[in-house]
Amino acid sequence: MSLMKVAAIAGVSASTVSRVMNDQDGVAPQTADAVRRAMRKISFVPATRRRSRKASNGQNEPAKTIGFLVFGTSGEQAAPAFTHLLRGVSIAAREHHLDLFVSFFSSPDELPQRVLDQRVGGLLIHGEQPGKEVEAKLRGFPTVWLMANRFPPRWGDQVMPDNSSIGRLAAEYLHERGCKLVSYLSAAPPSWGLQVRELAFCQYMGDMGGEVNVLRTALESPADFWQFDGSAARALAERFVQLRPRPQGLFVAEDRHVPTIYSALSAAGISLGAGGDVWLVSCNNELPYLDRLNPPPATLDIRAESIGRRSVEQLLWRLGHSTVPERIRKLVEPSLITP
């Protein structure tokens, strides 16, 4: 995705590139100059500057402007899956001749000026729930939420991973490898999406004659949406090591915790994979966390890029069906990625 390339060349975060593209305050002049040089270097033209498309009568037709708002993060520590999500949104917006702007907000109670001025046709939202005052200002826009947020959205449509299928695929993977006693490990703050993932995993394992030992933390929500503490995963891995009898299989809810768990199990003399002591499967297909592990674990691809694409398509549908009262929730089927 070109925005990420610009950020890499300029040596800044994606959120800084977004602020420069949208002429927002809070960026040092020399930093803004570096971003613009990087944009020129790869001939990157922000969506808001692209030409209008030609209408059927040959006249220029203004493209609709949509905003992608990410609440509860500065964007400095974006998860690898977000890169794929953003790519899907960007590609779909370009294919449908939409002008797209992306804004990150550390506080879910902030809004970009163009939203306050009603200069946007619809919104894609990801991250934390905004407060009631901000929510009241957003409810007037056609809205689609992306991914499974910590709390179910109170308004708008949603496109998200099918967490029930994630639980089923993880259970089937471990069952097919002869695992009867397994563990589910989640080192994250409470999230309704992860709760569905856990319940489905436990249900499917039970239906296949297996037994699940749940290892879960009760963490406070971090200051940044994507921030995580590896010490929580390490503590759960140490609890796993002490289980007797020891489970033969382990489902880790998120890839980001797998390196810490690998390290803790290795220190306890527990080997993983074929011929080892424990089979492990995780979720999200975030390769930066997995590609240096040996042996590499199986993971479930949530298809973040497809979620990004489908979200834009759902927003287009909502723009054309604003009077339909029903809220629509679409689930994207995951796939298993084996070593």
Side-chain angles (χ1 to χ4, degrees):
M1 197 276 178
S2 296
L3 185 147
M4 294 299 187
K5 290 183 180 179
V6 171
I9 294 171
V12 298
S13 69
S15 61
T16 298
V17 175
S18 175
R19 286 196 291 271
V20 174
M21 288 168 50
N22 294 298
D23 298 320
Q24 295 177 337
D25 296 332
V27 181
Q30 60 269 30
T31 302
D33 289 342
V35 170
R36 295 188 182 100
R37 285 195 300 271
M39 291 166 62
R40 290 193 295 270
K41 183 174 181 179
I42 64 172
S43 301
F44 174 59
V45 180
T48 52
R49 298 181 185 176
R50 291 177 185 143
R51 298 178 184 176
S52 300
R53 56 180 171 143
K54 290 285 186 178
S56 57
N57 60 7
Q59 301 297 316
N60 283 338
E61 177 186 351
K64 288 186 176 69
T65 297
I66 63 172
F68 185 7
L69 310 183
V70 186
F71 289 116
T73 178
S74 65
E76 301 286 344
Q77 304 177 47
F82 180 77
T83 302
H84 300 288
L85 184 73
L86 185 56
R87 181 185 298 120
V89 169
S90 178
I91 291 172
R94 183 171 64 249
E95 290 175 348
H96 292 284
H97 309 285
L98 299 170
D99 284 343
L100 170 70
F101 71 91
V102 183
S103 293
F104 297 83
F105 300 97
S106 295
S107 169
D109 294 323
E110 298 177 10
L111 282 176
Q113 191 62 44
R114 66 179 69 192
V115 173
L116 295 173
D117 294 341
Q118 305 284 312
R119 291 184 288 113
V120 59
L123 296 174
L124 303 171
I125 302 181
H126 180 49
E128 296 288 0
Q129 288 270 14
K132 292 295 182 69
E133 184 176 340
V134 170
E135 177 182 331
K137 297 175 182 177
L138 295 177
R139 276 182 175 269
F141 295 97
T143 300
V144 176
W145 289 78
L146 289 74
M147 307 296 280
N149 308 82
R150 286 201 307 120
F151 302 102
R154 293 185 289 261
W155 83 99
D157 296 337
Q158 186 171 26
V159 181
M160 59 183 288
D162 185 345
N163 281 294
S164 179
S165 291
I166 287 172
R168 173 180 58 81
L169 287 174
E172 290 175 349
Y173 175 81
L174 296 177
H175 174 74
E176 289 168 1
R177 280 147 187 82
C179 302
K180 296 295 185 181
L181 178 61
V182 301
S183 283
Y184 170 85
L185 189 154
S186 178
S191 162
W192 73 288
L194 291 182
Q195 288 171 357
V196 172
R197 192 174 297 186
E198 174 189 330
L199 288 171
F201 177 69
C202 293
Q203 181 66 50
Y204 282 107
M205 281 301 306
D207 290 346
M208 294 184 292
E211 181 182 346
V212 182
N213 186 297
V214 175
L215 301 172
R216 188 192 322 115
T217 57
L219 297 174
E220 295 288 335
S221 298
D224 189 284
F225 181 69
W226 285 307
Q227 181 182 348
F228 69 96
D229 182 0
S231 61
R234 184 175 300 105
L236 292 181
E238 291 170 354
R239 284 173 55 188
F240 175 85
V241 169
Q242 300 301 319
L243 292 176
R244 294 293 183 274
R246 181 182 297 141
Q248 307 104 350
L250 176 60
F251 175 30
V252 180
E254 299 174 289
D255 289 338
R256 60 183 179 172
H257 298 302
V258 173
T260 299
I261 292 167
Y262 258 55
S263 177
L265 297 187
S266 176
I270 297 174
S271 57
L272 296 162
D277 302 305
V278 175
W279 288 95
L280 185 147
V281 59
S282 61
C283 186
N284 290 348
N285 193 30
E286 294 185 297
L287 296 184
Y289 298 126
L290 307 177
D291 59 6
R292 294 186 180 181
L293 299 178
N294 186 29
T299 185
L300 295 164
D301 185 0
I302 59 174
R303 294 177 169 165
E305 184 171 325
S306 292
I307 291 173
R309 284 176 172 268
R310 301 291 89 77
S311 298
V312 173
E313 293 167 1
Q314 180 59 30
L315 182 57
L316 283 171
W317 182 89
R318 180 55 68 181
L319 287 167
H321 298 80
S322 58
T323 59
V324 175
E326 297 86 3
R327 295 173 60 192
I328 307 298
R329 178 173 292 154
K330 293 187 175 181
L331 304 179
V332 175
E333 185 80 8
S335 62
L336 177 67
I337 308 296
T338 55

